[in-house]
Amino acid sequence: PAIPSRKFAAHDAEVMGACFKTILGIPPHKVKVVIDGDGLKDDLADVFEQWLPTQAGAKQTAYIYVSGRALGDQETGAVSLLPYDGTMASTSRTFSLARLQRALTHASLKQAVVMLDLSLEPLAGSGSTRTAVPRWNHQDSAGENDRLMIMVGNSALQEAQAYQPGQHGLFTYFLLKGLRGAADLDKSGTVLTGELCAYVHGQVEAATPGGGQRAD
């Protein structure tokens, strides 16, 4: 109750889960949607560290979408997802991006695509006068960066914007629109990941003149 809700976050997760099945063609039993009270820290650990590896394969790509809030450590730049039972004053009940990426590294996967539509809050009580740049990629092992693609809808310590006309988060709205064909820039009939990134980045930038929100 003490944490402000993210407008459209639960709806975005439900729609994205349906998109994974209908547009990306992922079998329903390989799609798991976790919302609100089902998204405790232990639930996230179960999904990423127990369930996902059983669905993975050396020739498969995993798609992970998260909408909600996260904490940014102003000293280190480390980013942690804020589960339903988390607090903004401590990382003890958060799920770090580093932990998520370790789980993806240990799973047998061809590639993982992580899409983050997050309002990023500073970690309370750090007492730091610094504001480190949020660190999204924690993979330092040689070659692992080639297996991991991270799309960040809001790259700064600020509130992620909602797109009221589309009833979605701003980044999520253009992500969905791009996946449905708008990002097929070369009109080949296939939306490539590079095309999707370029399309979403441009649309979010155009929708927030003056640098209000940047997608990376």
Side-chain angles (χ1 to χ4, degrees), residues 16-32 51 55-56 60-65 111 113 115 179:
M16 190 61 70
C19 171
F20 283 1
K21 290 179 276 190
T22 58
I23 297 178
L24 298 183
I26 300 174
H29 71 276
K30 287 183 175 287
V31 177
K32 185 177 285 289
W51 177 80
Q55 310 299 316
Q60 293 185 328
T61 298
Y63 297 92
I64 293 124
Y65 167 84
Q111 187 183 31
V113 179
M115 296 159 274
L179 286 170

Side-chain angles (χ1 to χ4, degrees), residues 118-203:
L118 300 171
S119 285
L120 194 57
E121 311 278 353
L123 176 62
S126 65
S128 174
T129 58
R130 297 179 55 199
T131 306
V133 175
R135 185 182 177 200
W136 301 101
N137 195 330
H138 293 264
Q139 292 300 341
D140 299 319
S141 301
E144 290 301 334
N145 288 333
D146 295 336
R147 297 178 58 226
L148 178 65
M149 174 182 175
I150 302 177
M151 297 182 66
V152 179
N154 172 39
S155 59
L157 279 168
Q158 62 183 15
E159 189 78 8
Q161 298 188 32
Y163 186 62
Q164 191 68 40
Q167 299 290 289
H168 286 291
L170 179 67
F171 169 74
T172 300
Y173 174 78
F174 288 113
L175 187 61
L176 287 164
K177 191 173 180 179
L179 286 170
R180 289 167 177 157
D184 182 13
L185 304 180
D186 62 2
K187 307 303 179 184
S188 66
T190 301
V191 175
L192 304 176
T193 53
E195 291 179 313
L196 183 62
C197 287
Y199 171 78
V200 174
H201 173 83
Q203 294 297 317

Side-chain angles (χ1 to χ4, degrees), residues 66-90:
V66 184
S67 178
R69 293 191 178 276
L71 298 181
D73 189 311
Q74 293 175 276
E75 283 283 346
T76 66
V79 176
S80 298
L81 304 178
L82 194 62
Y84 194 73
D85 56 341
T87 71
M88 294 170 64
S90 169

